[in-house]
Amino acid sequence: MTQDITYTTKTKQLIDSLKSVCANYGLGNDGNEFKIITQVFLYKFLNDKFRFEVKKLKPELGDNNSFYENLKAIQAKHYDLLMDLLDENVPRLKPHQLISHLYNSQNSEDFAKTFDDTLRDISIENADVFSIKSFSGAKDKLFDELSNYITDSSQRDGFCKALINKLFEFSFEESFENYFTEKYDFFKDIFEYLIKDYNSDSGGKYAEYYTPNAVSRIIADILVEGDVKKVKCYDPSVGSGSLLMSLAHNIGEDRCTIYSEDISQKSSTMLRLNLILNNLTHSIPNVIKTNTIAEPYYLEKHKFDYIVSNPPFKLDFSDFREDLDTDRFKERFFAGIPNVPKTKKESMAIYLLFIQHIMYSLNDQGKAAIVVPTGFITAQSGIEKKIRERLIDKGWLRGVVSMPSNIFASTGTNVSVLFIDKEAGKDQVVLMDASKLGETVKDGKNQRTVLTREEERKIVETFHAKEAVEDLSVVVSVEEIKAKNYSFSAGQYFEVKIEYIEITAEEFAEKLNGFETKLNELFAEGNALDLEIKKNLQNIKFNK
């Protein structure tokens, strides 16, 4: 844990250093700043991953201080052989593409061009493994020409030198390569720290929310049981991939393949970094940038063993809403498509489409966990109820966990997690109300609720045991859920208890006399007030 904290602290320091560089060159707090920081991070990660893997093959290349010079001294034919020995998912770099070389070359003429050319060559030479595809099949570039974000060409050399100096300083103070053997669950915190300045209106601008570590762990621990091998894991609104990372860690990175879709280029960039850090580089070709609802890439290509998702709850999709309301989408969106409201189009409940998409995308043994607004589980009619009816009638609902309020720092919306299992059956559905768990902590200007590890374990163990715990969980049948109008709220199934206290006849008479005396006092006080009001009314006179 101490190592995790150290890593996170150091990484945040690097982010702040890069933000400072951007601010000094007029790029503070805009979209270009985000692109620059994420791409410089990617360059840093590729450097350290390359060095880490090469040193496993040739430890004699030495520490960070001597690695570059020793690598540069290797003859070309031996260097090519060394590259051939690397795993196919490891980036291939040349000595002159390393941070150390650029640092040593920064006083050369036209350094900005050297910097951009280096990143462009790395992008081209590693495109097969590290590029992200769009719906059309086109691959994006790993790197833009970062110097071009500086409009004043006379400042471009200085800008690129400043970036390299920050990376070089960090290389010797703290290298990422020390952590490539670790599980990177804490990278979620770094993602949130990096992107929060570009996500205005509590997530409204980009409709992105950060799944808390506790929720990710609970979902993964509930979904993954026993020995799992060779499975396909999918997230249709992946963001930075925190849910998929936790799921892959529980299954085993070498036992699963990750598939994802997201409309955000920003999220795809962060996911690519996360896959590199989490020993899931082999899944980068499966990262697709697309509109999952309108142009799903995997819809007819794969059915999935596991699906996890924290979809956007509300988003304006009125531009393509009518395209969805056609025969070719009827099977996927069986419960219907939300209408366009006359006002506040941004309130359109797009999460209902994601739930239906996920149900359609599971294979016959598939399991899924979906974060939904808690209002979904009790809605009396509409698309929400039709989805719940389908889950119950098919016997696909494994259970629901309603989370504490404010567990998401960026939104106060109460959330629940819907657990779907195509083999769940109709006898034992676990409904859990964890809203009273957790402790409130200050998170910047916001309050958020944090679950302890003990509370996480209690939720997971109770769910797996299918155990009824007073004021926490119930285990119900499909027929009981139908009798409650298909409600998935645990609270509606809790037994109502009335506490009785044994008292004597004398104690009862004494209590009754006490109530009568108190009532008489109140009546007397009321009569006195009435007389006072009547007296005051008689003293009121008319003045011209």
Side-chain angles (χ1 to χ4, degrees):
M1 181 61 69
T2 302
Q3 189 178 19
D4 292 356
I5 294 171
T6 301
Y7 172 86
T8 303
T9 301
K10 294 291 186 183
T11 304
K12 288 179 178 180
Q13 289 174 359
L14 177 57
I15 291 171
D16 290 338
S17 295
L18 296 175
K19 282 188 174 184
S20 176
V21 171
C22 290
N24 290 338
Y25 285 86
L27 295 171
N29 290 325
D30 69 9
N32 290 333
E33 180 191 47
F34 176 84
K35 293 176 184 177
I36 291 163
I37 292 174
T38 53
Q39 290 186 39
V40 169
F41 255 76
L42 178 56
Y43 176 50
K44 167 66 177 165
F45 290 145
L46 294 180
N47 262 259
D48 288 350
K49 180 66 172 175
F50 172 78
R51 185 168 56 203
F52 175 76
E53 296 295 341
V54 169
K55 284 168 63 176
K56 284 200 301 185
L57 296 174
K58 291 184 73 68
E60 64 271 20
L61 289 174
D63 60 19
N64 295 347
N65 293 283
S66 58
F67 178 83
Y68 166 65
E69 293 297 335
N70 292 334
L71 188 71
K72 190 170 61 171
I74 297 176
Q75 293 180 358
K77 62 179 181 179
H78 293 147
Y79 193 90
D80 291 341
L81 178 60
L82 179 61
M83 295 301 100
D84 289 340
L85 293 174
L86 291 173
D87 183 271
E88 62 180 358
N89 294 315
V90 174
R92 266 61 173 177
L93 303 182
K94 298 180 174 67
H96 69 270
Q97 295 170 338
L98 299 180
I99 292 171
S100 296
H101 176 80
L102 289 180
Y103 176 80
N104 293 334
S105 306
Q106 62 180 292
N107 292 325
S108 61
E109 186 177 352
D110 204 359
F111 179 73
K113 183 177 185 304
T114 300
F115 180 81
D116 287 338
D117 287 349
T118 298
L119 297 188
R120 185 195 66 242
D121 290 345
I122 292 173
S123 181
I124 293 171
E125 292 162 11
N126 292 274
D128 288 345
V129 175
F130 293 100
S131 285
I132 295 167
K133 288 186 293 187
S134 67
F135 174 80
S136 65
K139 289 190 174 184
D140 74 338
K141 296 183 296 184
L142 286 177
F143 303 107
D144 298 321
E145 293 184 349
L146 299 183
S147 70
N148 285 344
Y149 291 120
I150 304 297
T151 55
D152 184 348
S153 59
S154 67
Q155 293 186 324
R156 290 174 181 170
D157 281 355
F159 174 67
C160 294
K161 289 177 184 179
L163 294 176
I164 282 296
N165 283 327
K166 293 301 181 185
L167 294 184
F168 185 79
E169 292 168 8
F170 193 84
S171 292
F172 285 94
E173 181 181 357
E174 185 64 66
S175 172
F176 290 132
E177 71 175 75
N178 297 327
Y179 302 93
F180 279 118
T181 57
E182 300 296 323
K183 303 291 187 181
Y184 282 84
D185 294 339
F186 50 89
F187 187 70
K188 292 188 288 292
D189 299 326
I190 296 168
F191 172 71
E192 180 174 350
Y193 182 77
L194 177 59
I195 203 174
K196 64 181 179 180
D197 291 338
Y198 314 101
N199 201 45
S200 64
D201 300 324
S202 297
K205 183 173 181 181
Y206 295 114
E208 289 170 335
Y209 300 105
Y210 319 106
T211 309
N213 293 350
V215 176
S216 296
R217 285 191 294 264
I218 289 169
I219 286 174
D221 288 343
I222 287 178
L223 281 182
V224 182
E225 295 183 273
D227 189 31
V228 178
K229 296 179 181 178
K230 295 182 179 180
V231 291
K232 296 176 182 177
C233 304
Y234 171 61
D235 189 334
S237 55
V238 70
S240 67
S242 59
L243 287 171
L244 281 177
M245 297 308 106
S246 292
L247 185 64
H249 292 328
N250 275 27
I251 294 171
E253 294 84 354
D254 59 341
R255 296 184 170 203
C256 63
T257 304
I258 298 298
Y259 298 82
S260 71
E261 294 175 281
D262 201 294
I263 198 170
S264 168
Q265 177 64 51
K266 176 164 50 17
S267 295
S268 297
T269 300
M270 295 305 298
L271 175 60
R272 177 164 47 194
L273 300 184
N274 224 349
L275 291 171
I276 294 170
L277 285 172
N278 284 274
N279 296 322
L280 288 162
T281 309
H282 61 276
S283 291
I284 288 179
N286 303 325
V287 178
I288 303 298
K289 182 173 72 69
T290 189
N291 181 334
T292 307
I293 299 303
E295 296 181 317
Y297 182 81
Y298 289 116
L299 193 65
E300 304 304 335
K301 292 180 174 67
H302 295 292
K303 295 290 185 180
F304 297 99
D305 301 285
Y306 292 93
I307 302 179
V308 288
S309 182
N310 175 18
F313 291 169
K314 296 180 180 180
L315 197 68
D316 179 6
F317 61 93
S318 57
D319 288 347
F320 59 90
R321 193 261 176 212
E322 296 307 314
D323 296 335
L324 304 177
D325 200 7
T326 57
D327 288 341
R328 72 187 186 98
F329 288 105
K330 290 291 185 185
E331 185 178 0
R332 183 163 58 131
F333 300 128
F334 65 91
I337 301 165
N339 292 320
V340 180
K342 293 181 180 179
T343 59
K344 292 187 176 181
K345 292 182 181 179
E346 67 275 11
S347 68
M348 296 177 71
I350 195 169
Y351 81 95
L352 296 172
L353 300 181
F354 276 99
I355 296 175
Q356 295 175 79
H357 172 80
I358 289 167
M359 293 168 65
Y360 183 87
S361 301
L362 284 169
N363 65 26
D364 291 339
Q365 296 80 40
K367 299 176 175 61
I370 314 167
V371 180
V372 299
T374 293
F376 166 82
I377 67 177
T378 56
Q380 296 296 298
S381 59
I383 297 172
E384 295 91 335
K385 188 181 177 188
K386 288 180 181 177
I387 293 173
R388 298 202 314 269
E389 288 173 345
R390 172 70 65 91
L391 291 172
I392 291 303
D393 294 343
K394 292 282 189 179
W396 291 353
L397 183 67
R398 187 177 174 196
V400 176
V401 177
S402 295
M403 292 293 176
S405 60
N406 296 319
I407 197 165
F408 283 72
S410 52
T411 175
T413 304
N414 290 334
V415 303
S416 296
V417 182
L418 193 67
F419 289 94
I420 299 172
D421 184 342
K422 286 285 195 74
E423 299 180 313
K426 299 185 177 183
D427 293 330
Q428 293 182 302
V429 178
V430 181
L431 302 179
M432 191 175 298
D433 181 3
S435 61
K436 298 181 180 65
L437 302 181
E439 54 188 42
T440 302
V441 299
K442 188 76 172 175
D443 185 6
K445 297 179 181 179
N446 301 319
Q447 298 279 348
R448 73 186 300 179
T449 304
V450 178
L451 292 169
T452 66
R453 288 300 182 98
E454 291 73 21
E455 288 172 326
E456 290 178 37
R457 280 194 291 272
K458 183 176 183 180
I459 291 171
V460 173
E461 291 172 1
T462 301
F463 198 101
H464 280 313
K466 296 183 177 179
E467 180 182 4
V469 177
E470 185 174 343
D471 294 330
L472 177 64
S473 63
V474 293
V475 182
V476 296
S477 68
V478 162
E479 296 306 318
E480 289 176 277
I481 293 176
K482 288 180 180 180
K484 292 284 188 180
N485 199 30
Y486 291 88
S487 171
F488 293 174
S489 173
Q492 294 193 21
Y493 299 85
F494 287 152
E495 182 181 353
V496 178
K497 295 183 178 181
I498 301 175
E499 294 186 5
Y500 295 93
I501 301 174
E502 293 289 341
I503 59 175
T504 64
E506 291 77 10
E507 290 172 331
F508 176 76
E510 184 179 348
K511 282 182 178 292
L512 203 59
N513 287 333
F515 294 146
E516 186 176 350
T517 301
K518 184 64 176 178
L519 281 173
N520 289 334
E521 291 174 356
L522 291 174
F523 289 151
E525 185 178 346
N527 289 333
L529 287 172
D530 289 342
L531 292 172
E532 183 70 22
I533 292 169
K534 185 176 180 181
K535 180 180 177 181
N536 289 335
L537 284 173
Q538 291 173 348
N539 291 331
I540 295 175
K541 296 181 179 180
F542 175 74
N543 291 322
K544 291 185 180 180

